[in-house]
Amino acid sequence: MAPFSSLPRKREPITGGEWIPACAGMTRKVRIALGLLGVLFAVLTTAPAVAEGVPLPAIPKAKGEKCVEEPQLMRRYHMEFLGHQRDATMRQGIRTTRHSLKECISCHAVDGTDGKPVTIKSEQHFCNACHSYAAVRIDCFQCHASTPEVPGRQAAR
Amino acid sequence: MSNKACDAGRRDFLKAAAAVVTLAPGVTLMSIPAAAAPRPADQPASATQRWGLLVDTTRCTTDCTACVSACRTENGISGHGRPATDPQWIRKIELRNETTGATHSLPMMCQHCANPPCVDVCPTGASFKRADGIVLVDRHTCIGCRYCMMACPYKARSFVHEDVEDQRPDVPRGVGTVEGCNLCVARVDAGGLPACVESCRSNGNGAMLFGDLNDPKSEIAQRVKTYATTQLRADLGLDTGVRYQGI
């Protein structure tokens, strides 16, 4: 993985989109905090050898070829992408799939011992991997399905 | 013959069929699914459209609940056997005219007002009207205060009192927020029909018609232009998107 210094620091457009101004509005403190978090993850995810003895989050592998954004960008900014997509879909009915939460869930589904995708209740769930490690708590899955659509579930109608 | 030529033939046939509708509105009321061309996924909903629903109460019968069960399946709504608090997006009601004794059965749901009182009272802006007239709750902003439920003259909204599990990925819904009929917004955005309308057509009595009230060529616009239709509590001046015929 690229070292942290190669991550986008300035406001140059990375993929375009309105989440960048959101970062621009951040205070210096927040940016430093985010930066430190980034360093933490760079360390955590690239060099297990360095972190000998330190428990690391085990991030489950995704299905599909590659992520909708660079994984290193995703690690830091997934909440921005999701928040932006959320407002666009909810308020304006824009239903592009690139940053859709539904799509994250289908690619990042993790199969449990019974062969079925695990729900958010399981520690194995992709969205729990880092969050429980970093003590982040999200409420998204009170409403959003944490497993992909089961084909034919609606056939009863 | 190439596939393309085949398609062209089909399209001409559909066009001809559509012409029949314009010549004799009403006679062929339920014959052609009024699915609109889907809006491209990256385009926002636009005010050039106004989605509406027309219910023909002369066709709707007391014993039929096809719309209600389709809504529950589509939106993953299940109750706990507690009618007072279980969420409900659409319900069947019976009307009786006191003087004549005439009765009518009809489905009742969010009327998708042009001037929605729920939006007026919402303290967080969660209750809003989308550009194309669909009245929604942004549950990311909803704090569950339920002012909107008090403001709605149609009792169309429900509060989710209990944890929800096993939601459909297309229809997120969960505890602590208010919800109501969203005209199956994801299906409509994809060019489809609300589940109730589809089911009324195939399992019910074909009493529901969905379409764009702003498009003069649409079947619903033709019908509200040709026949006397009713907006419930029209005296409130809310300009509802759901209209009834026969009451």
Side-chain angles (χ1 to χ4, degrees):
Chain A
M1 201 193 94
F4 174 69
S5 57
S6 75
L7 285 173
R9 313 287 304 265
K10 285 262 152 34
R11 307 274 92 71
E12 74 263 21
I14 301 151
T15 55
E18 284 159 44
W19 56 273
I20 290 166
C23 303
M26 285 179 184
T27 63
R28 209 175 121 78
K29 261 191 201 144
V30 172
R31 261 183 279 155
I32 291 172
L34 269 177
L36 286 175
L37 245 152
V39 172
L40 175 70
F41 276 107
V43 171
L44 292 178
T45 50
T46 49
V50 179
E52 202 71 65
V54 179
L56 299 172
I59 305 173
K61 275 212 85 66
K63 303 186 170 94
E65 227 160 69
K66 57 185 175 68
C67 201
V68 291
E69 298 293 341
E70 282 301 317
Q72 59 189 12
L73 198 63
M74 262 309 185
R75 274 174 218 131
R76 281 184 72 195
Y77 291 116
H78 58 277
M79 56 305 272
E80 305 274 346
F81 291 126
L82 285 169
H84 181 64
Q85 179 74 14
R86 174 191 65 198
D87 292 345
T89 304
M90 189 74 237
R91 297 273 163 175
Q92 298 178 281
I94 292 172
R95 293 190 185 272
T96 48
T97 50
R98 184 162 179 192
H99 293 147
S100 160
L101 180 55
K102 219 172 78 185
E103 302 298 316
C104 322
I105 295 304
S106 34
C107 265
H108 286 285
V110 177
D111 288 343
T113 41
D114 58 355
K116 282 198 231 125
V118 297
T119 68
I120 197 70
K121 286 194 187 135
S122 160
E123 274 300 303
Q124 316 292 302
H125 193 280
F126 175 74
C127 303
N128 277 338
C130 311
H131 291 176
S132 56
Y133 184 87
V136 175
R137 225 195 269 176
I138 57 172
D139 67 353
C140 316
F141 299 108
Q142 277 179 14
C143 292
H144 288 270
S146 59
T147 52
E149 177 90 274
V150 183
R153 177 162 151 190
Q154 271 185 286
R157 184 154 46 83
Chain B
M1 197 167 79
S2 77
N3 272 340
K4 215 170 171 188
C6 228
D7 276 356
R10 217 174 131 247
R11 216 171 292 134
D12 286 345
F13 171 76
L14 288 176
K15 254 192 227 146
V20 174
V21 176
T22 34
L23 287 177
V27 180
T28 52
L29 171 59
M30 299 303 158
S31 58
I32 300 168
R39 175 162 47 82
D42 61 347
Q43 294 298 310
S46 117
T48 54
Q49 286 175 316
R50 178 167 186 215
W51 295 118
L53 204 57
L54 177 60
V55 179
D56 186 345
T57 58
T58 61
R59 287 170 181 248
C60 187
T61 57
T62 308
D63 58 347
C64 178
T65 53
C67 52
V68 178
S69 27
C71 177
R72 294 173 66 89
T73 317
E74 170 67 24
N75 296 305
I77 300 169
S78 52
H80 300 268
R82 297 190 269 278
T85 49
D86 282 345
Q88 179 188 57
W89 291 18
I90 182 171
R91 63 187 191 274
K92 284 294 299 289
I93 60 171
E94 305 297 316
L95 293 187
R96 207 177 86 88
N97 185 318
E98 298 267 297
T99 36
T100 62
T103 57
H104 301 279
S105 183
L106 52 88
M108 186 64 167
M109 73 296 264
C110 173
Q111 303 285 301
H112 298 281
C113 308
N115 311 309
C118 54
V119 174
D120 290 344
V121 300
C122 180
T124 66
S127 222
F128 73 105
K129 189 180 65 165
R130 216 171 72 158
D132 55 4
I134 304 182
V135 176
L136 296 168
V137 183
D138 184 341
R139 272 159 282 180
H140 306 102
T141 335
C142 176
I143 55 171
C145 74
R146 291 165 264 179
Y147 282 1
C148 57
M149 291 173 61
M150 306 302 287
C152 176
Y154 308 104
K155 286 194 180 180
R157 283 190 175 176
S158 297
F159 180 70
V160 184
H161 288 264
E162 288 159 270
D163 280 336
V164 184
E165 275 176 22
D166 227 16
Q167 293 92 333
R168 288 201 47 233
D170 275 333
V171 191
R173 48 185 295 271
V175 69
T177 56
V178 171
E179 59 184 15
C181 162
N182 58 9
L183 281 180
C184 291
V185 64
R187 292 168 60 114
V188 169
D189 282 346
L193 293 170
C196 55
V197 176
E198 194 176 274
S199 177
C200 183
R201 187 171 282 162
S202 51
N203 308 322
N205 299 303
M208 295 170 100
L209 177 63
F210 174 81
D212 180 4
L213 289 164
N214 279 357
D215 173 8
K217 290 198 294 295
S218 76
E219 206 177 329
I220 187 167
Q222 300 260 332
R223 284 189 71 83
V224 296
K225 194 174 154 211
T226 315
Y227 299 99
T229 56
T230 310
Q231 300 189 20
L232 299 181
R233 289 302 308 271
D235 56 319
L236 298 174
L238 304 177
D239 186 6
T240 59
V242 179
R243 314 279 168 88
Y244 294 84
Q245 195 179 343
I247 51 170

